[in-house]
C-alpha cells in the first residue's frame, strides 16, 4: 500500500480537489490511504480568529464567516450539500464565543480550534471521492489511531500509535481519507503535530501500515539542485538521501521539514515529493541512503540575512569553559546559532537576523566575556552531497571557483556529518556564488 498526502494548495479549490481525485483514481491499484491538510489558508485563519476572540475583538467571529465562505464555495462548485460541514462551523462558533467571553485561550483550546481545518477538508474530499465513483470514508487522526503526547501545538506520536493505526486502518473497506496534523492525547484531548504537521501524519501512518512509499503531493515538483529563482538551470533532484534533504531544508529549500518524515525514513520507507498540478513530473525521492552524487555535489542551498559575531579573547588560550559561557549567552536569549568556527583566540558564530531581535542585549552580554563585534547582511552558502567529506580536493575546487569569481569568503564550516560544506559571504555575493558552483558542478 502507499500513503498519499495532499497539502493545502492541493485541496485549496474545487478544481484542485478534482485533480486530487483524478490522481488517486489512477493509483487505486497501489491501495492508497489518503491524508489531507486543511484547505490552503484555513489554518492561519482559524488561529487568527482564536487570537482575535481572545483579544475580545468581534473580528474573530467575522473571520469565521470568511472560513465558512471558502468552504461554501468549494462545496457548491463540487455540487456537494452546503450543510455538510454546518455542524463543524457551529462548534467553531461556540468555542470562539467562549474564548471571546473569557478572554482566555489555552494551547488546548487553540488545538481544538485548529483541528477543524483538517476535519472539514477530509469530509469534503471524501464526499467528493464517493460522489465520483471512489467509495470513501473520512477519518479524524484519532479515528485512524494517532495517539500523541499532550504537548499541545507541537505533539509527537506515542509508540502505541503504530499498532493502533494498523488495527484501525488495515481492515478498511473503503478508501480512507485521514486528517493530517491532528490526533488526541491519552486523555482524549485533541492535539496538533506542529505547523505543517500533515507531512508528519503521512509519515506516521505510512510507518503504521508499513507502506511501500509515502507520497507528499504539493505545489512544486520536488527538491531542486538550487533555488530556481536564483539559478534558472536548477533541476529537480530525482533521488537524494534523508540527511541531504535535512541539510537542504534547513538552509532554504523549504519543501518539507525533515523531522516530519523521520518516522517513515527510519523504517526505510521512501518518501516521494510530487506536484499535484504537474502529476507526470517525476518528483524527488527521499531515501535513507542514496549513492553519492556523480560530481560530488547534490545541491546548493543559501540562506541570506545572517549576522556574524566575531568574538575574540586571549583568555580562551588554555582555558576551559570559555565556549560554554559564550553559548550560554545565545541560549539565554533563545537564539539558535547556525555556523561556528573557532581558532585559539577567536570564535565566529552566525545567527539568523530574523530570529535574533535582542541583538543589543546579546552583544552587551557577550562583551562581558570577550571583545565582541557584529556584522550583518551575511549569507550562508551550503553545498550538500553525501560523501563530500571523503572526496579529496572538493573544498579546494569550491573555493578556487569562488575566489576566481572575486568573492571573499568570511567563514568556513564543515561539520562531522561530512555531507556539507558551508561558508559565509556578503548577501550581495550570494547569488553569484550559488550560480558559479551550480554551473561548475550541476550543469554538466
Ligand atoms: N494545516 C496545517 C498547517 O497549515 C498542517 C499542514 O498543512 O500540514 O500548518
Ligand atoms: Mg505543508
Amino acid at each position: 500500500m502507499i500513503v498519499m498526502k495532499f497539502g493545502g494548495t492541493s485541496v485549496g479549490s474545487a478544481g484542485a480537489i478534482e485533480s486530487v481525485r483524478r490522481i488517486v483514481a489512477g493509483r487505486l491499484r497501489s491501495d492508497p490511504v489518503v491524508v489531507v491538510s486543511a484547505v490552503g489558508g484555513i489554518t492561519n485563519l482559524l488561529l487568527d480568529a482564536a487570537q482575535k476572540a481572545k483579544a475580545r475583538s468581534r473580528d474573530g467571529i467575522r473571520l469565521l464567516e470568511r472560513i465558512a465562505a471558502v468552504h461554501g464555495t468549494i462545496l457548491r462548485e463540487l455540487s456537494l450539500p452546503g450543510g455538510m460541514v454546518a455542524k463543524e462551523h457551529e462548534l467553531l462558533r461556540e468555542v470562539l464565543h467562549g474564548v471571546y467571553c473569557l478572554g482566555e485561550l489555552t494551547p488546548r483550546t487553540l488545538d481544538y480550534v485548529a483541528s477543524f481545518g483538517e476535519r472539514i477538508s477530509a469530509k469534503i474530499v471524501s464526499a467528493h471521492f464517493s460522489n465520483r465513483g471512489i467509495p470513501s470514508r473520512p477519518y479524524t487522526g484519532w479515528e485512524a489511531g494517532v495517539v500523541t503526547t499532550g504537548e499541545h501545538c507541537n505533539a509527537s506520536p506515542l509508540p502505541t500509535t503504530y499498532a493502533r493505526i494498523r488495527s484501525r486502518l488495515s481492515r478498511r473497506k473503503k478508501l480512507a481519507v485521514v486528517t493530517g496534523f491532528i490526533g488526541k492525547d491519552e486523555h482524549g484531548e485533541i492535539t496538533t503535530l506542529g505547523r505543517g504537521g500533515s507531512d508528519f501524519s503521512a509519515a506516521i501512518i505510512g510507518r503504521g501500515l508499513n507502506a511501500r512509499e509515502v507520497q507528499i503531493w504539493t505545489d512544486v515538483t520536488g527538491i531542486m539542485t538550487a533555488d530556481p529563482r536564483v539559478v534558472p538551470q536548477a533541476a529537480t533532484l530525482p533521488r537524494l538521501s534523508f540527511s541531504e534533504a535535512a541539510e537542504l531544508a534547513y538552509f532554504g529549500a523549504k519543501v518539507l521539514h525533515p523531522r516530519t518524515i523521520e518516522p517513515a525514513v527510519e523504517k526505510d520507507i521512501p518518501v516521494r515529493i510530487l506536484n499535484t498540478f504537474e502529476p507526470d513530473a517525476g518528483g524527488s525521492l527521499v531515501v535513507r541512503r542514496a549513492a553519492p552524487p556523480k560530481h560530488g555535489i547534490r545541491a546548493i542551498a543559501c540562506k541570506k540575512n545572517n549576522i556574524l559575531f566575531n568574538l575574540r579573547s586571549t583568555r580562551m588560550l588554555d582555558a576551559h569553559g570559555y565556549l560554554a559561557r559564550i553559548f550560554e549567552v545565545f541560549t539565554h536569549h533563545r537564539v539558535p546559532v547556525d555556523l561556528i568556527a573557532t581558532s585559539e583566540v577567536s570564535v565566529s558564530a552566525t545567527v539568523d537576523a530574523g530570529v535574533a531581535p535582542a541583538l543589543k542585549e546579546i552583544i552587551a552580554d557577550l562583551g562581558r566575556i570577550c571583545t565582541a563585534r557584529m556584522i550583518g547582511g551575511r549569507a550562508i552558502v551550503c553545498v550538500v552531497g553525501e560523501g563530500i567529506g571523503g572526496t579529496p580536493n572538493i573544498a579546494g575546487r569550491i573555493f578556487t571557483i569562488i575566489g576566481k569569481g572575486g568573492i571573499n569568503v568570511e567563514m568556513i564550516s564543515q561539520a562531522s556529518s561530512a555531507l556539507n560544506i558551508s561558508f559565509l559571504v556578503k548577501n550581495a555575493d550570494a547569488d553569484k556564488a550559488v550560480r558559479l558552483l551550480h554551473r561548475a558542478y550541476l550543469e554538466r
Side-chain angles (χ1 to χ4, degrees), residues 266-284:
E266 267 172 9
K267 289 283 159 191
D268 263 331
I269 300 169
V271 175
R272 195 185 294 277
I273 298 155
L274 290 147
N275 189 344
T276 303
F277 307 96
E278 245 181 271
D280 297 326
S284 291

Side-chain angles (χ1 to χ4, degrees), residues 86-302:
K87 162 115 177 295
E88 284 77 8
H89 286 136
E90 191 45 43
L91 290 170
L92 265 171
R93 186 176 304 276
E94 276 170 18
V95 65
L96 287 178
H97 184 69
V99 170
Y100 174 84
C101 290
L102 295 170
E104 187 186 81
L105 179 63
T106 60
R108 173 176 145 188
T109 304
L110 201 57
D111 275 354
Y112 176 75
V113 170
S115 74
F116 284 99
E118 272 71 9
R119 289 157 80 176
I120 290 171
S121 67
K123 261 181 118 170
I124 294 176
V125 169
S126 172
H128 179 62
F129 284 1
S130 295
N131 233 3
R132 300 285 310 274
I134 311 174
S136 164
R137 195 207 124 168
Y139 288 75
T140 56
W142 53 91
E143 286 164 346
V146 179
V147 205
T148 71
T149 57
E151 201 187 334
H152 284 287
C153 304
N154 198 26
S156 309
L158 292 176
T160 51
T161 283
Y162 302 106
R164 273 194 200 232
I165 290 173
R166 222 167 300 133
S167 81
R168 302 282 174 92
L169 289 181
S170 1
R171 280 187 303 273
R172 64 195 181 278
K173 301 236 160 43
K174 298 175 175 179
L175 176 75
V177 177
V178 186
T179 60
F181 185 47
I182 62 178
K184 276 187 178 173
D185 69 12
E186 287 175 300
H187 308 289
E189 297 297 338
I190 295 177
T191 53
T192 61
L193 300 168
R195 292 308 306 269
S198 295
D199 295 350
F200 204 2
S201 304
I204 293 165
I205 291 168
R207 174 160 168 180
L209 295 175
N210 197 16
R212 178 166 60 73
E213 185 171 295
V214 172
Q215 300 182 344
I216 307 286
W217 290 82
T218 174
D219 51 8
V220 295
T221 47
I223 300 174
M224 302 192 75
T225 50
D227 182 342
R229 289 165 302 184
V230 175
V231 187
Q233 295 84 353
T236 302
L237 287 166
R239 195 183 171 93
L240 67 162
S241 74
F242 176 66
S243 312
E244 289 171 332
E247 299 278 356
L248 291 168
Y250 186 72
F251 288 110
K254 294 236 158 31
V255 179
L256 46 79
H257 193 300
R259 175 181 92 113
T260 62
I261 61 166
E262 234 174 74
V265 178
E266 267 172 9
K267 289 283 159 191
D268 263 331
I269 300 169
V271 175
R272 195 185 294 277
I273 298 155
L274 290 147
N275 189 344
T276 303
F277 307 96
E278 245 181 271
D280 297 326
S284 291
L285 192 67
V286 182
V287 291
R288 197 144 72 104
R289 283 189 214 299
K294 206 156 89 212
H295 303 295
I297 292 181
R298 186 88 68 199
I300 306 158
C302 176

Side-chain angles (χ1 to χ4, degrees), residues 5-13 16 37-41 217:
K5 177 261 172 177
F6 294 89
T9 356
S10 300
V11 297
S13 67
S37 286
V39 170
W217 290 82

Side-chain angles (χ1 to χ4, degrees), residues 307-352:
I307 295 162
L308 169 64
F309 286 88
N310 276 326
L311 313 171
R312 288 179 64 85
S313 168
T314 45
R315 266 180 289 167
M316 179 149 128
L317 213 58
D318 293 328
H320 59 81
Y322 172 68
L323 284 177
R325 288 171 64 205
I326 285 175
F327 283 103
E328 249 162 41
V329 173
F330 290 109
T331 306
H332 173 75
H333 291 282
R334 305 177 67 88
V335 174
V337 173
D338 290 335
L339 296 190
I340 57 166
T342 73
S343 77
E344 275 299 313
V345 291
S346 71
V347 177
S348 297
T350 72
V351 306
D352 187 325

